[in-house]
Amino acid sequence: MSELEELNKEIRSCRQCRLAKDRRYAVPGEGPDQATIMFIGEAPGYHEDQQGRPFVGAAGQFLETLLSDIGLKRRDVFICNVIKCRPPENRAPLPDELALCRPFLDRQIALIQPQVIITLGRYSMEIVFKGVSITKIHGVARKIDGVTYIPMFHPAAALHQPRYRSLIEEDFAKIPAILANIAELDAPPPPPAPEPPQQLSLFN
Ligand code: URA
């Protein structure tokens, strides 16, 4: 069993906070062990809780559309949440729930080592950008300790308020260029140009 699978098992059996009581399944997240891109949402909703998988409801369908618009499939990326269990009635996560669940997310990031982390919504944005308004910084990539973070609106926001739809689509459209830029920075430097052949003189 990989370290990530062991961690998933630990998350599935976690009973550290009140959310364990009413959940059907904890939702660790899913995607390749070595994913380049990690999406972090807020918390599982009804469908995620029923299936034990992240982003499988309406917001998830929109996320898949946004991914396919930029040539990605959900199996190409790691998708998880700050909170691994569904809060009752989809209420906002409470500070103690966020604090207790946070080490799981930190361990996922440490194991997967994504190059790009895209935070979806306010709660996941706060893991790196505290006390700022998402309306001011959405879509702006920032590199911190070698990882590029891009805060974005939550896809569910677009389902509830259509004016967010184009903002999210515009922010997603920036992802390919950001990935290309990272690939370029990571590429080994080109080999030095060969010395021009020396014209041998007849006299030496
Ligand atoms: N919203 C989230 O933030 N996460 C999910 O997994 C589903 C909906």
Side-chain angles (χ1 to χ4, degrees), residues 73-89:
K73 298 212 163 23
R74 68 178 280 152
R75 64 164 181 268
D76 298 327
V77 300
F78 196 88
I79 305 177
C80 62
N81 287 299
V82 230
I83 289 280
K84 310 301 187 195
C85 296
R86 181 189 182 211
E89 313 302 327

Side-chain angles (χ1 to χ4, degrees), residues 41-45 48 54-55 81 154:
E42 183 177 316
E48 291 75 23
F55 281 94
N81 287 299
H154 195 288

Side-chain angles (χ1 to χ4, degrees), residues 14-22 42-44 81-105 123 127:
C14 173
R15 306 207 66 84
Q16 289 187 93
C17 83
R18 64 184 80 74
L19 298 181
K21 194 162 58 69
D22 294 324
E42 183 177 316
N81 287 299
V82 230
I83 289 280
K84 310 301 187 195
C85 296
R86 181 189 182 211
E89 313 302 327
N90 298 341
R91 66 153 166 74
L94 298 176
D96 65 325
E97 294 159 0
L98 287 162
L100 286 164
C101 224
R102 179 61 192 272
F104 287 140
L105 179 63
Y123 288 95
I127 67 172

